[in-house]
Each structure stands twice: as structure tokens, then as C-alpha cells.
Amino acid sequence: MKTVLITGANRSIGLEITKQLSKKGLFVYLGTRDLAKGKGVVAELNQNGFENIKAIEIDVTKPESILAAQKIVENEKGKLDILINNAGISGEFPQSALDTSINDIQNVFDTNFFGVISVTQAFLELLKKSESPRISNITSGLGSLTLHSDPNWKYYNFKATSYITSKAALNAYTITLAYELKDLPFKVNAIDPGYTATDFNHHSGPGTVESAATFIIKHTLTDENAPTGKFFSNDIEDSSEMSPW
């Protein structure tokens, strides 16, 4: 049974990924900042037939929380097969490049960028013990510099300084991480679930959490011939499903 850790998994897309992976027979660590709330979510999942799920406290902005979670996984499983860096925040709005405070920008980066790096580095040795380790960094199409430079792109006018720069930075980290792990059996990719209706955006997106989770899983549960160091997006309509960086 493969083991997966999903950060920010007690609601929305993270929760749906948990459900779908549970049904596929994986053991899921449901990452949550509030352990009591996470345990409540798991209890409800169990009542609805979802098995092999355990809530684990992990705040990606707190090194001691990450280390404690790593120790739990190490002691219980001895390895980790899949890491899905799903935790993310949008930040305060509006986000103008002219006057958004450094504190607001740093707050978003602490979760969306530095948090991903901290969790990835902490769990890397456990991932190396897997025969087919996978790291999926959940990003956004809004992190594409190419698309944001195209006036014809449908989201061109959404220039949220804190959020889009954090996701662009995450994409760059994904490229470098995939490169450094290319000689090992890792597959490391940035995955955009598309504009999805969640609490994150006040349910304004056209996509469903079910579709978003299915897309993420499709590009996470991959075989040895799958690509690494790519940017997949559920909003890209061609068959490659790859977004420009």
C-alpha cells in the first residue's frame, strides 16, 4: 500500500484528493493545521466508507510542526511514496504591485513558496526510500509568466501581486527540484487544478473539486515513463495538458 501526504487536506480540493486516493487503495495522511478539526474530518470520512486515512498536524509555515509530522510518518511507515504540496493561501485583496505591503506578500510566500520547500526538504529522505517517489506541487495557471504576458489570455487582467508571484516562484522551484532529482526515480511536477469553485475563491470558479482532484491524481499516479519537471494545467485544452511557464 502506497503512502501519501497531502498538506492542506481537510477541505476543498485537498479533501477530495484524499477521498479519491483512499478509494484507490492508498494510505493517506490528511495534513491539517488543526488536528482536532482534521480528526473530525477523518471520522466523517470513515462513516462514509473511506478507509486508511489519518489526520496529521502540519503547519507548513512552522518548522517544528513539519519536523513533528515527518517523525510520525517515519516511525509509522518508514517511507513516503507521494507528497502533494497542496496547502496554499490567496492573501489579502486587493494586491497592487504599487502598494501591497511587504508583510502581506511575505505572508503569502511563507505558505505558497517557502512552506513547500520546507516540507519537501523535510520529507525528501523518506521519499527516497520509495521505489517510485512522486512530488506534486499544486500551483495555478496564474503563475504562468507566458500567459500573464499575453493580453489575449482570458485571465490577463487578474494581476494579484502576492499570489501570482508566489506561484511563479513555486513553478521555478519545481523546475530546479525536478532537475536535481532527475537521476533518481522521482517524478516532480507542478499541477494546476484549474479555476475551481472552492472556499479559496468564494466558489467563483467554473470547475468542480472532483474534476480538480482527478486531474491532480492523473498527473501524480504516473508510471516510470511519465515526464518530470512539467507544468500541467486543467485549463489547457490541448491534449498535452501542459501550460507554458
Side-chain angles (χ1 to χ4, degrees):
M1 180 181 292
K2 289 187 175 182
T3 299
V4 55
L5 167 63
I6 309 168
T7 62
N10 61 300
R11 63 176 184 168
S12 300
I13 295 174
L15 178 56
E16 181 61 27
I17 297 171
T18 298
K19 292 178 180 179
Q20 292 189 24
L21 289 180
S22 169
K23 288 299 185 182
K24 289 180 178 294
L26 281 74
F27 183 94
V28 181
Y29 281 106
L30 181 150
T32 176
R33 289 182 298 175
D34 185 328
L35 186 57
K37 183 179 293 185
K39 287 182 176 180
V41 171
V42 172
E44 184 175 346
L45 289 172
N46 291 160
Q47 292 175 357
N48 287 286
F50 296 96
E51 301 177 338
N52 300 312
I53 304 170
K54 179 177 180 175
I56 187 170
E57 183 175 354
I58 182 167
D59 184 330
V60 304
T61 68
K62 297 180 178 178
E64 65 276 12
S65 174
I66 297 170
L67 180 59
Q70 188 270 345
K71 290 299 182 184
I72 290 173
V73 176
E74 182 178 29
N75 292 335
E76 293 183 352
K77 299 297 181 181
K79 68 171 183 175
L80 183 65
D81 296 290
I82 300 167
L83 172 61
I84 300 179
N85 286 307
N86 172 71
I89 62 173
S90 58
E92 300 295 326
F93 286 92
Q95 294 180 10
S96 167
L98 302 178
D99 54 22
T100 299
S101 74
I102 290 296
N103 286 339
D104 285 347
I105 296 172
Q106 287 178 333
N107 186 49
V108 174
F109 266 73
D110 281 343
T111 296
N112 295 2
F113 182 58
F114 296 117
V116 171
I117 297 174
S118 296
V119 172
T120 300
Q121 292 181 346
F123 282 89
L124 193 58
E125 292 305 313
L126 291 181
L127 285 160
K128 286 181 178 179
K129 295 179 180 180
S130 171
E131 294 181 357
S132 54
R134 301 289 182 266
I135 301 174
S136 292
N137 294 331
I138 307 310
T139 186
S140 169
L142 295 172
S144 169
L145 301 182
T146 299
L147 293 177
H148 261 299
S149 301
D150 180 2
N152 295 315
W153 186 44
K154 59 183 176 180
Y155 301 126
Y156 175 75
N157 291 317
F158 187 79
K159 297 288 194 278
T161 296
S162 307
Y163 184 72
I164 69 172
T165 56
S166 73
K167 290 301 187 179
L170 174 60
N171 289 350
Y173 175 69
T174 303
I175 291 173
T176 58
L177 180 64
Y179 175 80
E180 292 186 19
L181 294 173
K182 63 182 174 60
D183 295 327
L184 298 174
F186 278 81
K187 303 297 180 184
V188 182
N189 292 296
I191 307 176
D192 164 35
Y195 189 13
T196 306
T198 65
D199 296 341
F200 193 82
N201 55 36
H202 307 291
H203 296 270
S204 62
T208 65
V209 292
E210 291 82 7
S211 171
T214 297
F215 186 81
I216 290 168
I217 291 170
K218 173 184 177 181
H219 291 290
T220 299
L221 297 184
T222 55
D223 62 28
E224 61 182 9
N225 297 315
T228 188
K230 302 301 181 183
F231 179 6
F232 295 101
S233 174
N234 207 11
D235 281 335
I236 297 297
E237 297 179 356
D238 67 53
S239 59
S240 74
E241 297 180 329
M242 289 186 188
S243 173
W245 297 102

